[in-house]
């Protein structure tokens, strides 16, 4: 892998995460990394490799399987002056740490008036064949909590830039990485000052006829569907919110007001999800501009299965997105 | 004989204990006048735990407290005026009067917060100890919790990690014999102090009516922690003379047992160690302090509805 | 309190719960009750009083403070043939039991093909002055989980009837009671066969101009606002979903299609909530019938304070509802 | 000398151990052929835990298992064909091939489920024991978990409640020296078996390469539970000869240590207790059984995308 002239490299998603951690730990000795197998083994999926070798066992710690206390390690350490990054391997395991994340970390500033520079990394999505207790997508839970910032990088560039911003942020930030994308590539600035700002959506493709808001694995699929739609004369705008709390409402409202049509694509199920929030937002804010009913294109409201073909049967594919786009534009 | 290095001079000791006691009694009066928003959990009878433990601490050491934590806050050095104002829902309170008793924090004096979640402070204190260790500071973290909290998952998790990493932490279990409306026998199998052994670090039990015993045990534990030798679990046997909350008739309590604790009340014993004049001077000082705190609080505007957060 | 001729009594909310428990434990010896202080003391707020005296310590157990295992007690006991009712005192404490509720209970039928007749009772809402760690309203979290039924009784009658249905249901059901309503009264059938069906909304008031969907403490406020609106010539329909998962979509869509206007009132904050789901539903299903943008009238997106006036400043009041109704009808 | 009442006759014992061993080896081959959806966690070397423990159980006793639980399922009597079909993603599997290794359950034989959440079975097994107790049955619950799971909050919660209520449960910690990619020293402070003492009930440690020792300890624990005398914690010292998952190069493992465990492999020892003819007969029987299971599974349609759930 070589750096191109302009300091941009094609990185895999996990490399984006890894580079962000190396750069931020190098830049600020208050940054520490804590989690199951993150140290010696470099993470169960290799995401944190070489960090312990580089920064030593004082700053990179393998924990026991104690999710609640792992989150608490981050809170307490942040309260006494560190900027910890804690890893809760899978989103599903965050369920063992909800009190610490929601009742404690999210309220620290409210109770104390102080900052709590805590980053929590986890992974979600049904990209691996890990079944119903490892692949759930309930990012909306955390986005409903005042005091938490929640980001969902959908590619290597954002995985790097958002994580770096999270680490530099003075408030608790949850970084929900996408398991199914760990080896997916995107051109990424190597620069250690490259950041992706929190709270700002990215328009991945501009278009006039319909706005597609997509997250995680669904972003690339939406881009592919948009490409195919273009061939059929339909101009699709694809927006990746990147940060889901606080959501970049302005960007979404601006786009939907312009296109008059909305499709939200995600691998969470529809009920009580980000897709519900985005559709509600469009209905409230773009009521007079909407030319068709907004569409939620989501995973079926069922548990995540293990075989790959069942997983795919459950979530939207490129064809489904194309069909929805076509339907909503009436072409 | 108490080790003089390990507890403040008798008058100071009495002053601290009395402050905890009278602060809560005064707040309880205000509560009955309808001036305290939210439930109020008092630690009457438990003052020696807070004062004894904090006698072993510095300002830069940190503590986590509980839903029943006024005495911890005061003993760690929280500001009486700001606490009183917070409890009375005033804008001059620690968080502008918005949060009240279960959410008081003052990181400047090492008070990371009282907590509405039983056991919620265990991971946080463990994390603070971890942070202190990473920074190479010789400060320690102290985690206060009730015997009811030993049933929470956080308890075992925190003890295990503290032991594995030899963290500079002292776990102080304030065993006041009740968790809400049920006795500790509903909550604790075996003995709390013995739980430490299974994790390979020392557990001790002390008499919570003896502030010197509490201070001694904590000094040893803190010295161990500062030296890098890891955690200690101190179980303080005490008694909640108040109900679970102000207004709780506490019908589940055995009156004779309560009386036995009242008879060896640490506040009264600390007072008895002084001459009548000395004691009266402290009494006056504390009454004055609290009366002023109440006056100042009541003179301040109530929490600002425009400043939710 | 006397029974009226037709077997209906004015009950307080807590009495509705208590009566349901007495009746179901009497009817079926497999029903057991488990939770902190539910036995000897009859619950911290007296809701479960007399149950241990009546049914004995084998079937009514005071637990230690172990929320995760309390939920697990219900799962395991249901798996071996009981029909447990477990209490997790406040919604906020459910955060310590999320793994057992979401990863385990909700998936039991999916994994085993068997029923799991488990009822979990908890309380939410900012009605008491209990502060930011005791008054949160994240019912949407559980409604997003396949395999869970979630009900939110807003009055004594539903508190009784829904709890009884939950206990007789063969699948895990979460009953979210409203703390601020414990002493509120509603006429309630004393009959032990009185049930409120799961999954069915109640139209508390019929109207033509605007549909108000309200939950918890907001139902009575909405009824009062409707009454006042009627005086001003605006006809308000008030729907209480009662069950939020599965949501009675038909009832909502029918009503909104008829009135063309929607206001959702809740004491959860707006983002990623039931209100988002209902607005999204209306936008999707009633697009051609909507005559105004749907409105979410919710608690401010901030932590719950302790003083009563601040609590009220945070949540919608009758005046706010009236104003929203007036605004959306353009009168 | 093993107590003959407490373990099956030698040929049966070998059959059960071999079934566990060969089942997993066969599934691993299928995995390498790309026919097994999802990750696969094998318990090679740990067979004696499952077989020894289940020798003390009846069909109506219940167990909870883990992410590494094929041996528990088989020893408790799960159907080989349905398990194989599930792992191969076939419609004839336990849940129609939809869920695979981490979610296998058969309540009819008392198997409440394997589990993808470390420690997730602890509250459930405790609840099952509670349910059995309420019903006055003399059945027991057995909770299998790894030493890594002793760090979870659920562990302390479950032990405490089981002790307080004298529940009919046996906690079986299968200490295979690793949790994922890190050694047990990263996870366990002190000794697992001693954790029971702090809750006032017995904890014992047994050699997991000796199926008779495991069975003996479990028999005692189960007898205690059936008699209403409460829980026991049995720590079985064993070794994971496989990687964390199929494909894990397990570079973190000490080869000499692994070899020492291979040298006292329980399966080989059980085989050695038979005559050559007896042993060969069992070998053939198991190969036949597994070959048939694979054939049947592969003949069945794969999981139905129309039947998500
Ligand atoms: C996780 C959680 N569960 C339940 C409660 C309700 N609750 C408040 S205080 C209390 C009893 C706590 O007992 P203990 O730990 O002994 O402290 P004490 O009140 O005696 O100081 C309970 C159960 C809570 N606040 N948090
Ligand atoms: C709550 C939770 N945290 C983390 C994981 C990831 N994980 C899977 S297996 C494992 C190690 C478990 O170790 P142990 O309990 O000793 O069981 P073993 O794998 O050795 O059988 C971990 C951390 C998980 N599945 N669940
Ligand atoms: Mg107590
Ligand atoms: Mg292990």
């Amino acid at each position: 892998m070589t750096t191109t002239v302009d300091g941009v490299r094609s990185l895999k998603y996990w490399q984006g995460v890894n580079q962000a951690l190396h750069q931020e730990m190098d830049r600020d000795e208050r940054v520490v990394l804590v989690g199951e197998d993150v140290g010696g083994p470099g993470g169960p999926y290799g995401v944190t490799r070489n960090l312990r070798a580089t920064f030593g066992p004082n700053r990179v710690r393998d924990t026991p399987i104690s999710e609640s206390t792992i989150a608490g390690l981050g809170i307490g350490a942040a309260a006494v002056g560190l900027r910890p990054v804690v890893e809760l391997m899978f989103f599903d395991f965050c369920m063992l740490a909800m009190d610490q994340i929601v009742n404690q970390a999210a309220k620290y500033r409210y109770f104390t008036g102080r900052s709590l520079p805590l980053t929590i990394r986890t992974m979600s999505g049904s990209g691996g064949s890990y079944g119903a207790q490892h692949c759930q997508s309930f990012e909306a839970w955390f986005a409903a909590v005042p005091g938490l910032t929640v980001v969902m990088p959908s590619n290597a560039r954002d995985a790097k830039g958002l994580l770096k911003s999270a680490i530099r942020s003075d408030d608790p930030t949850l970084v929900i990485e996408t398991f199914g994308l760990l080896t997916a590539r995107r051109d990424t600035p190597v620069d250690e000052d490259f950041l992706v700002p929190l709270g700002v959506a990215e328009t991945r493709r501009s278009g006039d006829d319909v706005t597609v808001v997509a997250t995680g694995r669904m972003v690339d699929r939406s881009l592919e569907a948009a490409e195919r739609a273009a061939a059929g004369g339909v101009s699709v705008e694809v927006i990746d919110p990147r940060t889901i709390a606080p959501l970049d409402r302005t960007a979404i409202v601006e786009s939907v007001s312009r296109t008059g049509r909305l499709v939200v694509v995600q691998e969470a199920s529809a009920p009580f999800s980000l897709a519900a929030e985005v559709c509600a937002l469009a209905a409230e804010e773009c009521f007079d501009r909407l030319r068709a009913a907004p569409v939620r294109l989501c995973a079926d409201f069922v548990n995540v299965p293990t075989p790959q073909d069942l997983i795919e049967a459950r979530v939207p594919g490129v064809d489904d997105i194309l069909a929805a786009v076509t339907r909503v534009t009436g072409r | 004989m108490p080790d003089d290095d390990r507890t403040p001079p008798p008058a100071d000791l009495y002053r601290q204990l009395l402050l905890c006691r009278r602060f809560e009694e005064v707040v309880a009066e205000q509560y009955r006048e309808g001036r305290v928003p939210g439930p109020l959990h008092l630690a009457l009878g438990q003052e020696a735990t807070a004062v004894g433990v904090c006698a072993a601490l510095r300002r830069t050491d940190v503590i986590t407290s509980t839903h029943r934590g006024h005495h911890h806050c005061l003993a760690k050095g929280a500001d009486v005026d700001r606490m009183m104002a917070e409890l009375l829902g005033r804008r001059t309170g620690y968080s502008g009067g918005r949060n009240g008793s279960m959410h008081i924090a003052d990181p400047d004096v090492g008070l990371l917060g009282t907590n509405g979640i039983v056991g919620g402070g265990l991971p946080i204190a463990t994390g603070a100890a971890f942070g202190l260790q990473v920074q190479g500071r010789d400060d320690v973290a102290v985690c206060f919790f009730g015997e009811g909290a030993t049933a929470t998952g956080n308890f075992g998790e925190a003890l295990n990690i503290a032991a594995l990493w030899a963290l500079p932490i002292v776990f102080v279990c304030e065993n006041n014999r009740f968790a809400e409306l049920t006795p500790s026998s509903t909550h604790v199998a075996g003995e709390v102090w013995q739980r430490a052994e299974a994790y390979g670090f020392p557990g001790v039990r002390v008499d919570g009516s003896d502030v010197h015993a509490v201070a001694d045990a904590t000094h040893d534990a803190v010295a161990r922690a500062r030296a890098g030798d890891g955690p200690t679990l101190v179980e303080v046997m005490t008694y909640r003379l108040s109900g679970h909350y102000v207004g709780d008739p506490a019908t589940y309590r055995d009156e004779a047992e309560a009386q036995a604790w009242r008879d060896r009340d640490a506040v009264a014993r600390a007072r008895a160690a002084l001459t009548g004049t000395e004691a009266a001077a402290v009494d006056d000082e504390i009454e004055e302090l609290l009366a002023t705190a109440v006056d100042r609080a009541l003179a301040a505007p109530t929490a600002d509805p425009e400043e939710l957060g």
Side-chain angles (χ1 to χ4, degrees), chain B residues 121-196:
Chain B
L122 283 154
I124 299 173
T126 307
F130 159 62
L132 298 171
Q133 185 186 60
V134 170
Q135 295 171 77
R137 285 162 59 179
D138 77 338
D139 295 324
V140 305
V142 169
C143 181
F144 287 102
F145 54 95
E147 84 287 3
T150 63
T152 67
N154 283 336
F155 179 71
E157 288 190 4
L159 264 63
N160 189 50
I161 292 184
L164 285 166
W165 296 359
L167 293 179
I169 186 166
V170 183
F171 295 104
V172 178
C173 177
E174 201 166 358
N175 187 337
N176 65 1
R177 311 310 164 84
F178 298 100
E180 279 199 358
L181 318 176
T182 41
S184 51
S185 56
T186 302
H187 298 265
V188 183
E191 304 293 341
V192 171
W193 65 275
Q194 287 185 327
R195 302 268 173 94

Side-chain angles (χ1 to χ4, degrees), chain A residues 160-205:
Chain A
K160 176 179 172 183
L162 288 169
L163 177 55
K164 285 168 66 85
S165 292
I167 295 171
R168 297 189 193 186
S169 156
D170 281 337
D171 284 297
T173 304
L174 193 72
V175 180
I176 305 178
E177 297 162 9
T178 297
F179 186 66
L181 295 173
L182 285 184
T183 56
R185 289 181 177 278
R186 188 177 177 195
D187 282 350
T188 303
V190 292
D191 189 347
E192 64 183 26
D193 285 326
F194 166 70
L195 299 173
V196 170
L198 303 177
V200 181
E202 185 184 18
T203 301
R204 291 292 300 271
R205 181 189 176 105

Side-chain angles (χ1 to χ4, degrees), chain A residues 36-37 65 67 89-90 93 96 134:
Chain A
E36 294 161 19
D37 287 2
I65 308 166
E67 277 78 8
M89 202 183 292
F90 282 92
F93 309 164
L96 293 148
H134 282 68

Side-chain angles (χ1 to χ4, degrees), chain A residues 148 211 257 259 268:
Chain A
L148 290 181
T211 301
S257 297
T259 63

